Amino acid sequence: MFMNAKEMVEGLSQNPELHDARVLEAMGRVRREAFVPAQLRKMAYADRALPLEHDATISQPYVVAFMTTAACVSRGSRVLEVGTGSGYQAAVLAEMGVEVFSVEYVEELARKAFSRLEELGYGNVRVRHSDGRQGWVEEAPFDSIMVTAASEDIPPPLVEQLREGGRLVIPIGNDSQLLKVFVKTPRGLEPEAQVPVRFVPLRRVPDRG
Ligand code: SAH
């Protein structure tokens, strides 16, 4: 069992595809134990996903590292995250100096994640309670968009709200899922990479019209 973030990151750094030192350094600075339920704290630095309330899960550290690397963010980037959950992914981005806009459909999760992030000093994260399939149009365009729940399709508003040259990282599928990475070009989305993953579903929220 890993004891702290530094040891967790040392383990992750053995994977050649996790080649971005800035990502691993950021993950080494985030106290993951502050984002997992109290009774699971002793597993906070194991490389595994852990259950949260409301059927959400905090993603496996490997997957967080992979997605963050694939999103190609840098200091000052504006990033949309769909599925705030615990706020852990948002904290990793914030540690990298990213301006984070995170959307969560479950109101209680959004509220708790926001106050947790605020307490931990992550002032560069904004959290909104709304349907992430619609993106966050008032804050668009984004330099990268990361979806942390599995979707059957690519929600069109997310493509519209991504700047040209920006990356969309999104798990696609139901029972078997592929994490897909696209770059937006003048011709549309072009695939860059894909790996098998396991996420909770991105809910289709009925239009309240
Ligand atoms: N990134 C999170 C893990 C998220 S788990 C972390 O680091 O902890 C997936 C999250 O997506 C859940 O919290 C779930 O409530 C949320 N979700 C599912 N459908 C959604 C939707 N349509 N819009 C916004 N959030 C959604």
Side-chain angles (χ1 to χ4, degrees):
M1 191 74 59
F2 295 109
M3 296 309 293
N4 58 46
K6 282 243 149 34
E7 286 171 30
M8 180 187 84
V9 160
E10 256 171 54
L12 293 175
S13 68
Q14 305 305 308
N15 299 290
E17 65 279 24
L18 304 182
H19 49 71
D20 190 339
R22 297 169 313 151
V23 172
L24 296 178
E25 278 160 22
M27 289 180 70
R29 290 193 298 268
V30 178
R31 294 181 45 236
R32 196 167 184 265
E33 84 250 25
F35 295 85
V36 307
Q39 68 276 16
L40 295 175
R41 242 157 237 170
K42 57 181 188 308
M43 287 190 277
Y45 296 102
D47 189 20
R48 50 172 289 187
L50 296 171
L52 304 168
E53 301 162 288
H54 300 284
D55 297 326
T57 55
I58 177 169
S59 307
Q60 182 189 347
Y62 173 83
V63 172
V64 172
F66 187 91
M67 290 180 75
T68 311
T69 303
C72 289
V73 300
S74 48
R75 192 160 285 282
S77 299
R78 294 164 57 85
V79 175
L80 174 69
E81 178 194 23
V82 174
T84 316
S86 67
Y88 177 73
Q89 171 73 70
V92 171
L93 291 166
E95 280 285 353
M96 296 180 74
V98 166
E99 208 181 325
V100 188
F101 299 85
S102 188
V103 181
E104 169 58 54
Y105 168 65
V106 178
E107 184 168 15
E108 193 190 354
L109 289 175
R111 198 160 26 82
K112 285 188 174 170
F114 180 73
S115 51
R116 176 179 297 132
L117 288 161
E118 212 179 24
E119 254 167 52
L120 293 168
Y122 296 111
N124 47 343
V125 181
R126 287 174 58 197
V127 179
R128 186 164 95 164
H129 165 228
S130 61
D131 176 13
R133 295 184 54 90
Q134 308 306 322
W136 191 331
V137 70
E138 297 83 356
E139 296 295 347
F142 299 101
D143 297 309
S144 307
I145 299 182
M146 304 175 68
V147 181
T148 66
S151 185
E152 286 164 23
D153 61 348
I154 298 174
L158 300 186
V159 183
E160 284 156 27
Q161 293 173 30
L162 183 62
R163 78 160 168 79
E164 230 173 81
R167 281 171 176 76
L168 171 65
V169 184
I170 181 169
I172 300 278
N174 297 311
D175 296 335
S176 83
Q177 303 169 3
L178 285 174
L179 179 71
K180 300 200 176 198
V181 184
F182 298 95
V183 58
K184 183 170 169 177
T185 74
R187 295 168 301 284
L189 290 183
E190 290 189 355
E192 273 212 319
Q194 53 181 41
V195 287
V197 282
R198 186 90 211 127
F199 278 85
V200 301
L202 182 70
R203 293 186 227 192
R204 282 181 183 276
V205 183
D207 198 344
R208 293 189 197 91

Coordinates of all heavy atoms in Angstrom, one line a residue, residues 20-109:
D20 N 5.0 13.1 -18.7 CA 5.0 14.5 -18.4 C 5.3 14.8 -16.9 O 4.4 14.5 -16.0 CB 3.7 15.1 -18.8 CG 3.7 16.7 -18.7 OD1 4.6 17.2 -18.0 OD2 2.8 17.3 -19.4
A21 N 6.5 15.2 -16.6 CA 6.9 15.4 -15.2 C 6.0 16.4 -14.5 O 5.8 16.2 -13.3 CB 8.4 15.8 -15.2
R22 N 5.5 17.4 -15.2 CA 4.7 18.4 -14.5 C 3.4 17.8 -14.0 O 2.9 18.2 -12.9 CB 4.3 19.5 -15.5 CG 5.5 20.3 -16.1 CD 5.0 21.1 -17.3 NE 4.2 20.3 -18.2 CZ 3.2 20.8 -18.9 NH1 2.9 22.0 -18.9 NH2 2.6 19.9 -19.7
V23 N 2.9 16.8 -14.7 CA 1.7 16.1 -14.2 C 2.0 15.3 -13.0 O 1.2 15.4 -12.0 CB 1.1 15.1 -15.3 CG1 0.0 14.3 -14.8 CG2 0.7 15.9 -16.5
L24 N 3.1 14.5 -13.0 CA 3.4 13.7 -11.8 C 3.8 14.6 -10.6 O 3.4 14.3 -9.5 CB 4.5 12.7 -12.2 CG 4.1 11.7 -13.3 CD1 5.3 10.8 -13.6 CD2 2.9 10.9 -12.8
E25 N 4.5 15.7 -10.9 CA 4.8 16.6 -9.8 C 3.6 17.2 -9.1 O 3.5 17.2 -7.9 CB 5.7 17.7 -10.3 CG 7.2 17.3 -10.4 CD 8.0 18.2 -11.3 OE1 7.6 19.3 -11.5 OE2 9.1 17.7 -11.8
A26 N 2.6 17.6 -10.0 CA 1.4 18.1 -9.5 C 0.7 17.0 -8.6 O 0.2 17.3 -7.5 CB 0.5 18.6 -10.6
M27 N 0.6 15.8 -9.1 CA -0.1 14.8 -8.4 C 0.7 14.5 -7.1 O 0.0 14.1 -6.1 CB -0.2 13.5 -9.2 CG -1.3 13.7 -10.3 SD -1.5 12.2 -11.4 CE -2.3 11.1 -10.2
G28 N 1.9 14.7 -7.0 CA 2.7 14.5 -5.8 C 2.4 15.6 -4.8 O 2.8 15.4 -3.6
R29 N 1.8 16.6 -5.2 CA 1.5 17.7 -4.2 C 0.0 17.7 -3.8 O -0.3 18.4 -2.8 CB 1.8 19.1 -4.9 CG 3.3 19.4 -5.1 CD 3.5 20.8 -5.5 NE 2.9 21.2 -6.7 CZ 3.4 21.2 -7.9 NH1 4.7 20.8 -8.0 NH2 2.8 21.6 -9.0
V30 N -0.8 16.9 -4.4 CA -2.2 16.9 -4.0 C -2.5 15.8 -2.9 O -2.1 14.7 -3.1 CB -3.2 16.6 -5.2 CG1 -4.6 16.6 -4.7 CG2 -3.0 17.7 -6.2
R31 N -3.1 16.2 -1.8 CA -3.4 15.3 -0.7 C -4.7 14.5 -1.1 O -5.8 14.9 -0.8 CB -3.6 16.1 0.6 CG -2.3 16.8 1.0 CD -2.5 17.5 2.3 NE -3.2 16.7 3.3 CZ -4.3 17.1 3.9 NH1 -4.9 18.3 3.6 NH2 -4.9 16.3 4.8
R32 N -4.5 13.4 -1.8 CA -5.6 12.6 -2.2 C -6.5 12.2 -1.1 O -7.7 12.0 -1.2 CB -5.1 11.4 -3.1 CG -6.3 10.8 -4.0 CD -5.7 9.8 -5.0 NE -6.6 9.3 -5.9 CZ -7.2 8.1 -5.8 NH1 -6.9 7.4 -4.7 NH2 -8.1 7.7 -6.6
E33 N -5.9 12.0 0.1 CA -6.7 11.5 1.2 C -7.8 12.5 1.6 O -8.8 12.1 2.2 CB -5.8 11.2 2.4 CG -5.5 12.4 3.3 CD -4.0 12.8 3.2 OE1 -3.4 12.5 2.2 OE2 -3.5 13.4 4.2
A34 N -7.6 13.8 1.2 CA -8.7 14.8 1.5 C -9.9 14.6 0.6 O -10.9 15.3 0.8 CB -8.1 16.2 1.4
F35 N -9.7 13.8 -0.5 CA -10.8 13.7 -1.5 C -11.6 12.4 -1.4 O -12.5 12.2 -2.1 CB -10.2 13.9 -2.9 CG -9.7 15.2 -3.1 CD1 -8.4 15.6 -2.7 CD2 -10.4 16.2 -3.7 CE1 -7.8 16.8 -2.9 CE2 -9.9 17.5 -3.9 CZ -8.6 17.8 -3.5
V36 N -11.1 11.4 -0.6 CA -11.7 10.1 -0.5 C -12.5 10.0 0.8 O -12.2 10.8 1.8 CB -10.7 8.9 -0.6 CG1 -9.8 9.1 -1.8 CG2 -9.8 8.9 0.7
P37 N -13.6 9.2 0.8 CA -14.4 9.1 2.1 C -13.5 8.6 3.3 O -12.5 7.9 3.1 CB -15.4 8.0 1.7 CG -15.4 7.9 0.2 CD -14.1 8.3 -0.2
A38 N -13.8 9.1 4.4 CA -13.0 8.9 5.6 C -12.6 7.4 5.8 O -11.5 7.1 6.1 CB -13.7 9.5 6.9
Q39 N -13.6 6.5 5.6 CA -13.3 5.1 5.9 C -12.4 4.5 4.9 O -11.9 3.3 5.1 CB -14.6 4.3 6.1 CG -15.4 4.2 4.8 CD -16.3 5.4 4.5 OE1 -16.2 6.4 5.0 NE2 -17.3 5.2 3.6
L40 N -12.1 5.2 3.8 CA -11.2 4.6 2.8 C -9.8 5.3 2.7 O -9.0 5.1 1.8 CB -11.9 4.7 1.4 CG -13.2 3.9 1.2 CD1 -13.8 4.2 -0.2 CD2 -12.9 2.4 1.4
R41 N -9.6 6.1 3.7 CA -8.4 7.0 3.7 C -7.1 6.2 3.6 O -6.2 6.6 3.0 CB -8.4 7.9 4.9 CG -8.4 9.3 4.4 CD -8.9 10.3 5.4 NE -10.0 11.0 4.7 CZ -10.8 11.9 5.3 NH1 -10.6 12.1 6.6 NH2 -11.8 12.5 4.6
K42 N -7.1 5.0 4.2 CA -5.9 4.2 4.2 C -5.5 3.7 2.8 O -4.4 3.3 2.6 CB -5.9 3.1 5.3 CG -7.0 2.1 5.1 CD -6.9 1.1 6.2 CE -7.9 -0.1 6.1 NZ -9.3 0.4 5.9
M43 N -6.5 3.8 1.9 CA -6.3 3.3 0.5 C -6.1 4.5 -0.4 O -6.0 4.4 -1.6 CB -7.4 2.5 0.1 CG -7.4 1.1 0.7 SD -8.6 0.0 -0.1 CE -10.1 0.5 0.7
A44 N -6.0 5.7 0.2 CA -6.0 6.9 -0.7 C -4.9 7.0 -1.7 O -5.1 7.6 -2.8 CB -5.9 8.2 0.2
Y45 N -3.8 6.3 -1.4 CA -2.6 6.4 -2.3 C -2.4 5.1 -3.1 O -1.3 4.9 -3.7 CB -1.4 6.9 -1.6 CG -1.6 8.3 -1.1 CD1 -1.9 8.6 0.2 CD2 -1.6 9.4 -2.0 CE1 -2.2 9.9 0.7 CE2 -1.9 10.7 -1.6 CZ -2.2 10.9 -0.2 OH -2.5 12.2 0.2
A46 N -3.3 4.2 -3.0 CA -3.3 3.0 -3.8 C -3.7 3.4 -5.2 O -4.5 4.3 -5.4 CB -4.2 1.9 -3.3
D47 N -3.1 2.7 -6.2 CA -3.4 3.0 -7.6 C -4.8 2.4 -8.0 O -4.8 1.5 -8.8 CB -2.3 2.6 -8.6 CG -2.6 3.2 -10.0 OD1 -3.3 4.2 -10.1 OD2 -2.0 2.7 -10.9
R48 N -5.8 2.8 -7.4 CA -7.2 2.3 -7.7 C -8.2 3.3 -7.5 O -8.1 4.3 -6.8 CB -7.4 1.1 -6.9 CG -7.2 1.3 -5.4 CD -7.7 0.1 -4.6 NE -9.2 0.0 -4.6 CZ -9.9 -0.8 -3.9 NH1 -9.3 -1.7 -3.1 NH2 -11.2 -0.8 -3.9
A49 N -9.3 3.1 -8.3 CA -10.5 4.0 -8.1 C -11.2 3.7 -6.8 O -11.1 2.5 -6.3 CB -11.5 3.8 -9.3
L50 N -11.8 4.7 -6.2 CA -12.5 4.4 -4.9 C -13.9 5.0 -5.0 O -14.1 6.0 -5.7 CB -11.8 5.1 -3.7 CG -10.4 4.5 -3.5 CD1 -9.6 5.4 -2.4 CD2 -10.4 3.1 -3.0
P51 N -14.9 4.3 -4.4 CA -16.3 4.8 -4.5 C -16.5 6.1 -3.6 O -15.9 6.2 -2.6 CB -17.1 3.7 -3.9 CG -16.1 2.9 -3.0 CD -14.8 3.1 -3.6
L52 N -17.3 7.0 -4.2 CA -17.7 8.2 -3.5 C -19.2 8.1 -3.2 O -19.8 7.1 -3.6 CB -17.5 9.5 -4.3 CG -16.1 9.7 -4.8 CD1 -16.0 10.8 -5.9 CD2 -15.1 10.0 -3.7
E53 N -19.9 9.1 -2.7 CA -21.3 9.1 -2.5 C -22.0 9.3 -3.9 O -21.3 9.6 -4.9 CB -21.8 10.3 -1.7 CG -21.2 10.3 -0.3 CD -21.3 11.7 0.3 OE1 -20.6 12.6 -0.2 OE2 -22.1 11.9 1.2
H54 N -23.3 9.0 -4.0 CA -24.1 9.2 -5.2 C -23.5 8.5 -6.4 O -23.6 9.0 -7.5 CB -24.1 10.7 -5.5 CG -24.7 11.6 -4.4 ND1 -26.1 11.6 -4.2 CD2 -24.2 12.4 -3.5 CE1 -26.4 12.4 -3.2 NE2 -25.2 12.9 -2.7
D55 N -23.0 7.3 -6.2 CA -22.5 6.5 -7.3 C -21.4 7.1 -8.1 O -21.1 6.6 -9.2 CB -23.7 6.2 -8.3 CG -24.8 5.4 -7.7 OD1 -24.5 4.5 -6.8 OD2 -26.0 5.6 -8.1
A56 N -20.8 8.1 -7.6 CA -19.6 8.6 -8.3 C -18.4 7.8 -7.8 O -18.4 7.1 -6.8 CB -19.4 10.1 -7.9
T57 N -17.3 7.9 -8.6 CA -16.0 7.3 -8.1 C -14.9 8.3 -8.3 O -14.9 9.1 -9.3 CB -15.7 6.0 -8.9 OG1 -15.6 6.3 -10.3 CG2 -16.6 4.9 -8.6
I58 N -13.9 8.3 -7.5 CA -12.7 9.1 -7.7 C -11.8 8.2 -8.6 O -11.6 7.0 -8.3 CB -12.0 9.5 -6.4 CG1 -10.7 10.2 -6.6 CG2 -11.8 8.3 -5.4 CD1 -10.1 10.9 -5.3
S59 N -11.4 8.7 -9.7 CA -10.7 7.9 -10.7 C -9.4 7.3 -10.1 O -8.8 7.9 -9.3 CB -10.4 8.7 -12.0 OG -11.6 9.3 -12.4
Q60 N -9.0 6.2 -10.8 CA -7.7 5.6 -10.4 C -6.5 6.7 -10.7 O -6.6 7.3 -11.8 CB -7.5 4.4 -11.3 CG -6.3 3.6 -11.1 CD -6.1 2.5 -12.2 OE1 -7.1 2.3 -12.9 NE2 -5.0 2.0 -12.3
P61 N -5.6 6.8 -9.9 CA -4.5 7.8 -10.1 C -3.8 7.6 -11.5 O -3.5 8.6 -12.2 CB -3.5 7.5 -9.0 CG -4.4 7.0 -7.9 CD -5.5 6.2 -8.5
Y62 N -3.7 6.3 -11.9 CA -3.1 6.1 -13.3 C -3.9 6.8 -14.3 O -3.4 7.5 -15.3 CB -3.0 4.6 -13.6 CG -2.5 4.4 -15.0 CD1 -1.2 4.4 -15.4 CD2 -3.5 4.2 -16.1 CE1 -0.8 4.3 -16.7 CE2 -3.1 4.1 -17.4 CZ -1.7 4.1 -17.7 OH -1.3 4.0 -19.0
V63 N -5.2 6.7 -14.2 CA -6.1 7.3 -15.2 C -6.1 8.8 -15.2 O -6.1 9.5 -16.2 CB -7.6 6.7 -15.1 CG1 -8.6 7.4 -16.0 CG2 -7.6 5.2 -15.3
V64 N -6.1 9.3 -14.0 CA -6.0 10.8 -13.8 C -4.7 11.3 -14.5 O -4.7 12.3 -15.2 CB -6.0 11.2 -12.3 CG1 -5.7 12.7 -12.1 CG2 -7.3 10.8 -11.7
A65 N -3.6 10.6 -14.2 CA -2.3 11.0 -14.8 C -2.4 10.9 -16.3 O -1.9 11.8 -17.1 CB -1.2 10.1 -14.3
F66 N -3.0 9.8 -16.8 CA -3.0 9.6 -18.3 C -3.9 10.7 -18.9 O -3.5 11.3 -19.9 CB -3.6 8.2 -18.6 CG -3.6 7.9 -20.1 CD1 -2.5 7.2 -20.6 CD2 -4.6 8.3 -20.9 CE1 -2.4 6.9 -22.0 CE2 -4.6 8.0 -22.3 CZ -3.5 7.3 -22.8
M67 N -5.0 10.9 -18.3 CA -5.9 12.0 -18.9 C -5.3 13.3 -18.9 O -5.4 14.1 -19.8 CB -7.3 12.0 -18.2 CG -8.1 10.7 -18.4 SD -9.7 10.7 -17.6 CE -10.6 11.9 -18.6
T68 N -4.7 13.7 -17.8 CA -4.1 15.0 -17.6 C -2.9 15.2 -18.6 O -2.7 16.2 -19.2 CB -3.6 15.2 -16.2 OG1 -4.7 14.8 -15.3 CG2 -3.2 16.6 -15.9
T69 N -2.1 14.1 -18.8 CA -1.0 14.1 -19.8 C -1.6 14.3 -21.2 O -1.2 15.2 -22.0 CB -0.2 12.8 -19.7 OG1 0.3 12.6 -18.4 CG2 1.0 12.8 -20.7
A70 N -2.7 13.6 -21.5 CA -3.3 13.6 -22.8 C -3.9 15.0 -23.1 O -4.0 15.4 -24.3 CB -4.3 12.5 -23.0
A71 N -4.4 15.7 -22.1 CA -5.1 16.9 -22.3 C -4.1 18.1 -22.7 O -4.5 19.1 -23.2 CB -5.8 17.3 -21.1
C72 N -2.8 17.8 -22.5 CA -1.7 18.8 -22.9 C -2.0 20.2 -22.4 O -2.1 21.2 -23.1 CB -1.7 18.9 -24.5 SG -1.0 17.5 -25.2
V73 N -2.2 20.3 -21.1 CA -2.4 21.6 -20.5 C -1.1 22.3 -20.0 O -0.1 21.6 -19.9 CB -3.3 21.4 -19.2 CG1 -4.6 20.8 -19.6 CG2 -2.6 20.6 -18.1
S74 N -1.2 23.6 -19.8 CA 0.0 24.3 -19.3 C -0.6 25.4 -18.4 O -1.8 25.7 -18.4 CB 0.9 24.7 -20.3 OG 0.2 25.4 -21.3
R75 N 0.4 26.0 -17.7 CA 0.0 27.1 -16.8 C -0.8 28.2 -17.6 O -0.5 28.5 -18.7 CB 1.3 27.8 -16.3 CG 1.2 28.7 -15.2 CD 2.5 28.9 -14.5 NE 2.8 27.7 -13.7 CZ 2.3 27.5 -12.5 NH1 1.4 28.4 -11.9 NH2 2.6 26.4 -11.8
G76 N -2.0 28.5 -17.0 CA -2.8 29.5 -17.6 C -3.9 29.0 -18.6 O -4.8 29.7 -19.0
S77 N -3.8 27.6 -18.9 CA -4.8 27.0 -19.8 C -6.2 27.1 -19.1 O -6.2 27.1 -17.8 CB -4.6 25.5 -20.0 OG -3.3 25.3 -20.6
R78 N -7.2 27.2 -19.9 CA -8.6 27.2 -19.4 C -9.1 25.8 -19.7 O -9.2 25.5 -20.9 CB -9.4 28.3 -20.0 CG -9.0 29.7 -19.6 CD -9.6 30.7 -20.6 NE -11.0 30.6 -20.6 CZ -11.8 31.2 -19.8 NH1 -11.3 32.0 -18.9 NH2 -13.1 31.1 -19.9
V79 N -9.5 25.1 -18.7 CA -9.9 23.7 -18.9 C -11.3 23.4 -18.3 O -11.6 23.8 -17.2 CB -8.9 22.7 -18.3 CG1 -9.4 21.2 -18.4 CG2 -7.5 22.8 -18.9
L80 N -12.1 22.8 -19.1 CA -13.5 22.4 -18.7 C -13.4 20.9 -18.3 O -12.9 20.1 -19.0 CB -14.5 22.5 -19.8 CG -15.9 22.0 -19.5 CD1 -16.6 22.8 -18.4 CD2 -16.8 21.9 -20.8
E81 N -13.8 20.6 -17.0 CA -13.9 19.2 -16.6 C -15.4 18.9 -16.4 O -16.2 19.7 -15.8 CB -13.3 19.0 -15.2 CG -13.4 17.6 -14.7 CD -13.1 17.4 -13.2 OE1 -13.1 18.4 -12.5 OE2 -12.8 16.2 -12.9
V82 N -15.9 17.8 -17.0 CA -17.2 17.4 -16.8 C -17.3 16.2 -15.8 O -16.6 15.2 -16.1 CB -17.9 17.0 -18.2 CG1 -19.3 16.4 -18.0 CG2 -17.9 18.1 -19.2
G83 N -17.9 16.4 -14.7 CA -18.0 15.4 -13.7 C -17.0 15.7 -12.5 O -15.9 15.1 -12.5
T84 N -17.3 16.7 -11.7 CA -16.4 17.1 -10.6 C -16.1 16.0 -9.6 O -15.0 15.9 -9.1 CB -17.0 18.3 -9.9 OG1 -17.5 19.3 -10.8 CG2 -16.0 19.0 -9.0
G85 N -17.2 15.2 -9.3 CA -17.0 14.2 -8.3 C -16.4 14.7 -7.0 O -17.0 15.6 -6.4
S86 N -15.3 14.2 -6.6 CA -14.6 14.6 -5.4 C -13.9 15.9 -5.5 O -13.6 16.6 -4.5 CB -13.6 13.5 -5.0 OG -12.5 13.5 -5.9
G87 N -13.5 16.3 -6.8 CA -12.7 17.5 -7.0 C -11.2 17.1 -7.2 O -10.4 18.0 -7.4
Y88 N -10.9 15.8 -7.1 CA -9.5 15.5 -7.1 C -8.8 15.9 -8.5 O -7.7 16.5 -8.5 CB -9.3 14.0 -6.9 CG -7.8 13.5 -7.0 CD1 -6.9 13.9 -6.0 CD2 -7.4 12.8 -8.1 CE1 -5.6 13.5 -6.1 CE2 -6.0 12.4 -8.2 CZ -5.1 12.8 -7.2 OH -3.8 12.4 -7.3
Q89 N -9.5 15.5 -9.6 CA -8.9 15.8 -10.9 C -8.7 17.3 -11.0 O -7.7 17.8 -11.6 CB -9.8 15.3 -12.0 CG -9.5 15.7 -13.4 CD -8.2 15.1 -14.0 OE1 -8.2 13.9 -14.3 NE2 -7.2 15.9 -14.1
A90 N -9.7 18.1 -10.6 CA -9.7 19.5 -10.6 C -8.5 20.0 -9.8 O -7.8 21.0 -10.3 CB -11.0 20.1 -10.1
A91 N -8.2 19.4 -8.7 CA -7.1 19.9 -7.8 C -5.8 19.6 -8.6 O -4.8 20.5 -8.5 CB -7.1 19.1 -6.5
V92 N -5.6 18.5 -9.3 CA -4.4 18.2 -10.0 C -4.2 19.3 -11.1 O -3.1 19.8 -11.2 CB -4.5 16.8 -10.6 CG1 -3.3 16.5 -11.5 CG2 -4.5 15.7 -9.5
L93 N -5.2 19.6 -11.8 CA -5.1 20.6 -12.8 C -4.8 22.0 -12.2 O -3.9 22.7 -12.7 CB -6.4 20.8 -13.6 CG -6.8 19.6 -14.5 CD1 -8.3 19.7 -14.9 CD2 -5.9 19.6 -15.7
A94 N -5.4 22.3 -11.0 CA -5.1 23.6 -10.4 C -3.7 23.6 -9.9 O -3.0 24.7 -10.0 CB -6.1 23.7 -9.2
E95 N -3.1 22.5 -9.5 CA -1.7 22.5 -9.1 C -0.8 22.8 -10.2 O 0.3 23.2 -10.0 CB -1.3 21.1 -8.5 CG -1.7 20.8 -7.1 CD -0.9 21.6 -6.1 OE1 0.2 22.2 -6.4 OE2 -1.2 21.5 -4.9
M96 N -1.3 22.5 -11.4 CA -0.5 22.8 -12.6 C -0.6 24.2 -13.1 O -0.1 24.6 -14.2 CB -0.8 21.8 -13.8 CG -0.5 20.4 -13.4 SD -1.0 19.3 -14.7 CE 0.3 19.6 -15.9
G97 N -1.4 25.0 -12.4 CA -1.6 26.4 -12.7 C -2.7 26.6 -13.8 O -2.8 27.7 -14.4
V98 N -3.5 25.6 -13.9 CA -4.6 25.7 -14.9 C -5.8 26.4 -14.2 O -6.1 26.3 -13.0 CB -5.0 24.2 -15.3 CG1 -6.4 24.2 -16.0 CG2 -3.9 23.6 -16.1
E99 N -6.6 27.1 -15.1 CA -7.8 27.7 -14.6 C -8.9 26.7 -14.9 O -9.2 26.4 -16.1 CB -8.1 29.0 -15.4 CG -8.9 30.0 -14.6 CD -9.1 31.3 -15.4 OE1 -8.2 31.6 -16.2 OE2 -10.2 31.8 -15.3
V100 N -9.5 26.1 -13.9 CA -10.4 25.0 -14.0 C -11.9 25.4 -13.9 O -12.3 26.1 -13.0 CB -10.1 23.9 -12.9 CG1 -10.9 22.6 -13.2 CG2 -8.7 23.6 -12.9
F101 N -12.7 24.9 -14.9 CA -14.1 25.1 -14.8 C -14.7 23.7 -14.8 O -14.6 23.0 -15.7 CB -14.6 25.9 -16.1 CG -14.0 27.2 -16.2 CD1 -12.7 27.4 -16.7 CD2 -14.6 28.3 -15.6 CE1 -12.1 28.6 -16.8 CE2 -14.1 29.6 -15.7 CZ -12.8 29.7 -16.3
S102 N -15.4 23.4 -13.6 CA -15.8 22.0 -13.5 C -17.3 21.9 -13.3 O -17.9 22.7 -12.5 CB -15.1 21.4 -12.3 OG -15.3 20.0 -12.2
V103 N -18.0 21.0 -14.0 CA -19.4 20.9 -14.0 C -19.8 19.6 -13.4 O -19.3 18.5 -13.8 CB -20.0 21.1 -15.4 CG1 -21.5 21.0 -15.4 CG2 -19.5 22.4 -16.0
E104 N -20.7 19.6 -12.4 CA -21.2 18.4 -11.7 C -22.7 18.4 -11.7 O -23.3 19.4 -11.3 CB -20.6 18.3 -10.3 CG -21.2 17.2 -9.4 CD -21.0 15.8 -10.0 OE1 -19.9 15.4 -10.4 OE2 -22.1 15.2 -10.1
Y105 N -23.3 17.2 -12.1 CA -24.7 17.1 -12.1 C -25.4 16.9 -10.8 O -26.5 17.3 -10.5 CB -25.1 16.0 -13.1 CG -26.5 15.6 -13.0 CD1 -27.5 16.5 -13.4 CD2 -26.9 14.4 -12.6 CE1 -28.8 16.2 -13.3 CE2 -28.2 14.0 -12.5 CZ -29.2 14.9 -12.9 OH -30.5 14.6 -12.8
V106 N -24.7 16.3 -9.8 CA -25.2 16.0 -8.5 C -24.9 17.2 -7.6 O -23.7 17.5 -7.3 CB -24.7 14.7 -7.9 CG1 -25.2 14.5 -6.4 CG2 -25.0 13.5 -8.7
E107 N -26.0 17.9 -7.2 CA -25.8 19.2 -6.5 C -24.9 19.0 -5.2 O -24.0 19.8 -5.0 CB -27.1 19.8 -6.1 CG -27.0 21.2 -5.4 CD -28.3 21.9 -5.3 OE1 -29.3 21.3 -5.4 OE2 -28.2 23.1 -5.1
E108 N -25.2 18.0 -4.4 CA -24.4 17.8 -3.2 C -22.9 17.6 -3.5 O -22.0 18.1 -2.7 CB -25.0 16.6 -2.4 CG -24.4 16.6 -0.9 CD -24.8 15.4 -0.2 OE1 -25.6 14.5 -0.7 OE2 -24.3 15.2 0.9
L109 N -22.6 16.8 -4.5 CA -21.2 16.6 -4.9 C -20.5 17.9 -5.3 O -19.4 18.2 -4.9 CB -21.1 15.6 -6.0 CG -21.4 14.1 -5.6 CD1 -21.4 13.2 -6.9 CD2 -20.4 13.6 -4.6

